[in-house]
Amino acid sequence: MTTASRLDAVCSVLRDVRPFEIFGQVSAVTGLALELEGTTGHLSIGDRVWITARNGRSIQAEAIGFQRGVTRAMTFGTLDGIGPGAPVRVGSAAHLAVSDHWLGRVIDPLGCPLDGKGQLLSGEHPAPVRRAPPNAAKRERLGPRIDLGVKALNSFVTCRQGQRLGLFAGSGVGKSTLLSMLARFTKCDVAVIALVGERGRELREFIEDDLGSEGLARSVLVVATSDQAPLMRRECAYAAACVAEHFRDQGKSVLLMMDSVTRFCLALREIGLSAGEPPTTRGYPPSVFSELPQLLERAGPGLPGGGMITGVFTVLVEGDDHNEPIADAVRGILDGHVVLDRRIGEGGRYPAIDVLRSLSRTVPGVNSQAENALTAKARAVLATWQDMADLVRLGAYKAGGDPLVDEAVRLAPLIEAYLSQAKDRPHSIGQGFTELEAALCP
């Protein structure tokens, strides 16, 4: 028998060998957490396992902690049908085989389609869902300014490619509408949108009414609704980052939008407490403030030769408290913040961006001196008007008393009108500065 025929015979035998699998079992269920036996030494944090419920369905779970030879895990679905003795099959860390064919699709954090358009075509190179950001000393610097299509942002919070902005707002102030404008109007190649813990009824409204067919065509939506398990809501953010990195590594300009970081942190809180971590500030365990920068730092410039991920992360401030722990932590990590004010929205001006409380850390070096002078003058006028508005309305101030106040009384309404924008009307950066100059020099 020749060597080649012997190799063929060995390969034939190996093809018939079943893969080696390790099994354990559920020993206890406490709250949202499971305790697994028989898996010691075969799992690490973040590894997946598959549990067979009594009704025969297979439920995916993840190892979240270890204690005295027992693995603590949480499931990506409900605990129905899981009890002591349920068999557990050990897996490995999570990967997603992202493909260019995912554009225009709506998926869940595990890479399964939600839009009824058939199966997703998988890519050839699965990537880990959780991975480290690019080396800080080797990644590219920020790129040129990027046109967001929203004139209030383009003028007052000018953003560069690879920059990360936080969008801070309470509930019902117009975050979703502003995100849809960014998804449709931003001059980028791909938009990846993570809807973390959103209301289930709002998904179709966001896709059909806000995003539209044009916005969806160049987008990938990763969705985990509020009724899903904490692991699914947390995984939604990581899966979206993985999808964005796939397109970034192709050299594309990617817009990654996440709504919201707050719900991501709430999911982390549930997971951390179930793993036995002690609660600290407002009940958040320490791991929340450790995992938060690991997620946010994945956005930004890639390595030389790659593309960039421009990030917009919304923060749902509780009770409009912009100094609550999550908002404070996110503000310190990102490269700028945009504040949506409820009073501005109640006054009928949308998007309800408070330009005096919003800033971009890259503005001085990316806009021209003339453009910076325009925005500085507009901010000064709005600040003066904010201080004197009540006195003017009450008649306590008389015209001619202060030239700066007189100028604010005259120009503030024009600037407010400039900041208003219909959700279906994009504005370029150049057009925005031209209109702002017209408002300041009527």
Side-chain angles (χ1 to χ4, degrees), residues 110-135:
L110 303 180
C112 300
L114 296 174
D115 51 14
K117 296 180 180 179
Q119 289 297 316
L120 290 170
L121 296 178
S122 299
E124 297 179 358
H125 306 288
V129 174
R130 301 186 66 173
R131 59 194 280 194
N135 187 306

Side-chain angles (χ1 to χ4, degrees), residues 33-36 62-67 70-74 274-276:
L34 309 173
E35 293 186 3
L36 313 180
E62 180 178 304
I64 62 171
F66 304 94
Q67 189 175 17
V70 175
T71 302
R72 295 181 69 86
M74 291 183 70
S274 296

Side-chain angles (χ1 to χ4, degrees), residues 25-106:
Q25 65 178 9
V26 175
S27 59
V29 180
T30 305
L32 298 175
L34 309 173
E35 293 186 3
L36 313 180
E37 291 182 343
T39 59
T40 304
H42 303 293
L43 286 173
S44 58
I45 294 293
D47 282 350
R48 300 290 172 83
V49 299
W50 282 261
I51 303 170
T52 303
R54 291 178 179 174
N55 58 7
R57 72 186 180 105
S58 181
I59 304 169
Q60 193 171 166
E62 180 178 304
I64 62 171
F66 304 94
Q67 189 175 17
R68 293 187 293 274
V70 175
T71 302
R72 295 181 69 86
M74 291 183 70
T75 66
F76 286 89
T78 64
L79 297 175
D80 298 343
I82 297 179
V88 176
R89 178 169 60 87
V90 173
S92 59
H95 288 70
L96 277 181
V98 185
S99 165
D100 293 354
H101 296 283
W102 288 22
L103 288 173
R105 300 300 300 272
V106 183

Side-chain angles (χ1 to χ4, degrees), residues 284-336:
Y284 290 104
S287 63
V288 172
F289 300 98
S290 173
E291 290 207 37
L292 191 56
Q294 293 179 32
L295 170 68
L296 299 180
E297 286 289 349
R298 289 172 68 174
L303 296 174
M308 297 195 178
I309 300 176
T310 305
V312 178
F313 302 91
T314 72
V315 178
L316 184 63
V317 291
E318 299 179 3
D320 291 337
D321 177 12
H322 289 262
N323 294 316
E324 56 93 20
I326 299 303
D328 207 35
V330 172
R331 192 183 298 110
I333 297 170
L334 300 183
D335 308 314

Side-chain angles (χ1 to χ4, degrees), residues 146-395:
I146 184 171
D147 191 343
L148 300 176
V150 179
K151 54 186 175 181
L153 297 181
N154 282 340
S155 301
F156 291 88
V157 197
T158 312
C159 183
R160 296 174 65 177
Q161 288 185 18
Q163 187 173 339
R164 300 162 304 166
L165 289 175
L167 185 59
F168 296 78
S171 58
V173 190
K175 296 190 310 300
S176 296
T177 301
L178 181 56
L179 286 180
S180 70
M181 294 172 69
L182 294 174
R184 286 179 286 128
F185 301 155
T186 300
K187 301 298 184 184
C188 63
D189 300 317
V190 177
V192 180
I193 306 171
L195 301 180
V196 183
E198 283 295 309
R199 304 174 187 88
R201 68 161 186 84
E202 293 182 342
L203 177 58
R204 286 192 59 186
E205 294 177 3
F206 177 79
I207 294 173
E208 297 172 6
D209 299 339
D210 294 332
L211 192 58
S213 57
E214 180 182 351
L216 180 61
R218 64 168 187 168
S219 302
V220 180
L221 269 71
V222 187
V223 180
T225 53
S226 60
D227 61 308
Q228 293 184 288
L231 275 183
M232 284 290 273
R233 285 178 269 134
R234 184 215 64 183
E235 199 72 3
C236 182
Y238 288 127
C242 181
V243 174
E245 288 165 341
H246 167 81
F247 292 103
R248 178 204 64 193
D249 293 342
Q250 295 180 353
K252 295 182 179 179
S253 173
V254 183
L255 176 66
L256 171 62
M257 295 184 291
M258 190 173 297
D259 186 17
S260 68
V261 172
T262 305
R263 296 191 180 106
F264 167 76
C265 292
L266 291 175
L268 289 179
R269 181 168 67 180
E270 294 180 53
I271 296 167
L273 296 177
S274 296
E277 287 188 73
T280 55
T281 309
R282 293 202 184 180
Y284 290 104
S287 63
V288 172
F289 300 98
S290 173
E291 290 207 37
L292 191 56
Q294 293 179 32
L295 170 68
L296 299 180
E297 286 289 349
R298 289 172 68 174
L303 296 174
M308 297 195 178
I309 300 176
T310 305
V312 178
F313 302 91
T314 72
V315 178
L316 184 63
V317 291
E318 299 179 3
D320 291 337
D321 177 12
H322 289 262
N323 294 316
E324 56 93 20
I326 299 303
D328 207 35
V330 172
R331 192 183 298 110
I333 297 170
L334 300 183
D335 308 314
H337 55 270
V338 178
V339 176
L340 298 186
D341 191 285
R342 190 178 303 278
R343 290 176 300 175
I344 294 176
E346 290 171 350
R349 195 255 283 170
Y350 286 97
I353 298 172
D354 187 341
V355 297
L356 293 179
R357 298 165 64 194
S358 304
L359 65 86
S360 168
R361 292 186 173 93
T362 66
V363 162
V366 74
N367 289 336
S368 68
Q369 290 185 355
E371 291 168 341
N372 286 332
L374 280 175
T375 54
K377 181 178 179 180
R379 286 179 182 273
V381 168
L382 291 176
T384 302
W385 171 249
Q386 188 177 74
D387 291 339
M388 299 297 295
D390 291 339
L391 293 177
V392 172
R393 292 190 181 103
L394 291 172

